[in-house]
Amino acid sequence: MTATRAAAFLLMLLVITEIGEAVNSNVEDDQSSNWCLQRSHKFLGLCRENSVCARVCRNEGYHHGGDCQGTKFTCYCYTPCHSAYI
């Protein structure tokens, strides 16, 4: 009985490790695209809905949208970073 539990525990540990590595590789892929944040110039008020922020950013010419960020509920737009600034 003890050997069976130990084998089950090791199998679960292996599965969890594999899942963690898959998640980390996806995060690294997202970070490698080098997105920079630029504060929206036209968004007024507190940013509470990402979809509204994204729409305002697209209207400003940021084709990749935007998100509400930080404790001050500020709208930031996504823009590709230039290699000179990284």
Side-chain angles (χ1 to χ4, degrees), residues 2-16:
T2 306
T4 304
R5 285 187 182 197
F9 175 75
L10 289 175
L11 181 61
M12 285 180 23
L13 187 60
L14 179 64
V15 169
I16 290 170

Side-chain angles (χ1 to χ4, degrees), residues 24-37:
N24 285 338
S25 69
N26 287 340
V27 169
E28 290 170 2
D29 289 344
D30 289 343
Q31 291 173 347
S32 67
S33 59
N34 297 323
W35 293 110
C36 288
L37 295 174

Side-chain angles (χ1 to χ4, degrees), residues 22-65:
V23 169
N24 285 338
S25 69
N26 287 340
V27 169
E28 290 170 2
D29 289 344
D30 289 343
Q31 291 173 347
S32 67
S33 59
N34 297 323
W35 293 110
C36 288
L37 295 174
Q38 175 69 39
R39 188 172 180 174
S40 171
H41 298 288
K42 296 183 179 180
F43 191 93
L44 301 175
L46 296 177
C47 184
R48 295 177 187 243
E49 292 186 38
N50 289 332
S51 60
V52 175
C53 175
R55 187 176 338 120
V56 171
C57 287
R58 286 188 191 99
N59 288 338
E60 287 184 47
Y62 296 100
H63 302 291
H64 300 284

